[in-house]
Amino acid sequence: MSSTQQLLLSLLKRLGPSPVAPLASELQMTTMGARQHLEKLEQQQLVGHFDKKQGKGRPSRHWHLTRQGHQSFGDRHNDVAIQMINSIVSLQGADAIDQILAHRSEQQLAEYQKRLSATSNLAERLALLAELRTQEGYLARVEPEGEQWLLIEDHCPICSAAAACQGFCRNELTLFQQLLAPARVEREQHILAGAHRCCYRISSGKA
């Protein structure tokens, strides 16, 4: 990996998802040159991209670190989380983990409801939810599809812990269903099932 590519990874770590222009500016190079380096990093599965619509005109392509890209900096948080999960199961049984996850979901639901309470419009609530999830590291976005919406999460910051304990994913789906009721929420793509992202389909009306 070249020094320029290492700098790009560091910039994405610091800035979060970003268009190519500010990255090129930071590195004092052309956008074409920066894009070529990003594409090479993408081939190594260290970065990914998504297109974000901003007003009129063409969507803006944003680049971000993948889970592998984040891990390239060295991080023991996932290892610690998995060790904690295994220790709780060993000492108190699987039911204890379910209770902890249920408590976590209740806290999340209360916090999300508070943050989304400013509007009852489903599209606006989805946009706010995607913003909250992005702040938490999920790189979330909403795409309208006819009379429905797709809530897409291009990254899972707790993927290793979720792989060790499927309750995380199960509770996440339930959380969205409770938060967006009476809208119907279905998971269509799942990272742990081999997809490159998690994707939820939301349709208005009762489930």
Side-chain angles (χ1 to χ4, degrees):
M1 184 188 303
S2 70
S3 59
T4 299
Q5 291 168 5
Q6 291 175 335
L7 286 172
L8 274 170
L9 292 178
S10 296
L11 279 173
L12 288 173
K13 185 72 169 175
R14 174 165 60 89
L15 300 176
S18 176
V20 69
L23 298 174
S25 178
E26 286 275 355
L27 296 176
Q28 298 183 339
M29 63 190 308
T30 64
T31 56
M32 182 177 293
R35 188 177 295 108
Q36 289 174 344
H37 283 294
L38 287 166
E39 289 171 351
K40 290 179 181 178
L41 289 170
E42 188 173 35
Q43 291 171 4
Q44 301 173 56
Q45 300 183 334
L46 295 173
V47 306
H49 68 265
F50 61 90
D51 294 331
K52 182 176 181 181
K53 191 168 182 59
Q54 297 174 314
K56 296 181 179 179
R58 296 176 59 186
S60 173
R61 175 152 294 185
H62 283 56
W63 295 86
H64 63 87
L65 292 177
T66 62
R67 181 164 64 95
Q68 187 172 330
H70 282 288
Q71 291 176 341
S72 69
F73 289 88
D75 191 345
R76 293 281 296 169
H77 287 87
N78 284 333
D79 292 339
V80 172
I82 293 170
Q83 289 169 3
M84 291 291 291
I85 290 169
N86 291 335
S87 294
I88 292 171
V89 171
S90 297
L91 293 172
Q92 301 183 27
D95 288 347
I97 284 291
D98 290 338
Q99 293 174 8
I100 292 170
L101 291 178
H103 179 67
R104 174 179 179 268
S105 293
E106 289 174 2
Q107 291 180 316
Q108 280 186 299
L109 179 60
E111 177 62 22
Y112 285 2
Q113 286 175 331
K114 180 180 177 181
R115 301 288 292 273
L116 271 60
S117 63
T119 178
S120 60
N121 180 276
L122 181 56
E124 293 175 356
R125 288 173 66 83
L126 281 169
L128 288 172
L129 177 60
E131 183 178 337
L132 289 174
R133 298 290 286 181
T134 294
Q135 291 172 5
E136 294 174 4
Y138 289 88
L139 298 178
R141 54 197 168 94
V142 177
E143 291 186 358
E145 192 171 274
E147 296 182 355
Q148 300 177 331
W149 296 266
L150 297 179
L151 174 62
I152 298 167
E153 295 181 339
D154 289 305
H155 178 63
C156 177
I158 63 166
C159 193
S160 296
C165 180
Q166 295 292 319
F168 280 103
C169 296
R170 181 176 62 250
N171 285 15
E172 181 176 80
L173 176 58
T174 301
L175 171 67
F176 291 161
Q177 290 172 336
Q178 293 175 330
L179 182 67
L180 300 172
R184 182 172 182 173
V185 181
E186 300 174 289
R187 182 189 283 129
E188 291 194 338
Q189 297 180 45
H190 192 194
I191 290 175
L192 292 187
H196 71 282
R197 65 187 187 182
C198 286
C199 178
Y200 300 84
R201 181 175 295 277
I202 297 95
S203 54
S204 60
K206 295 183 178 181

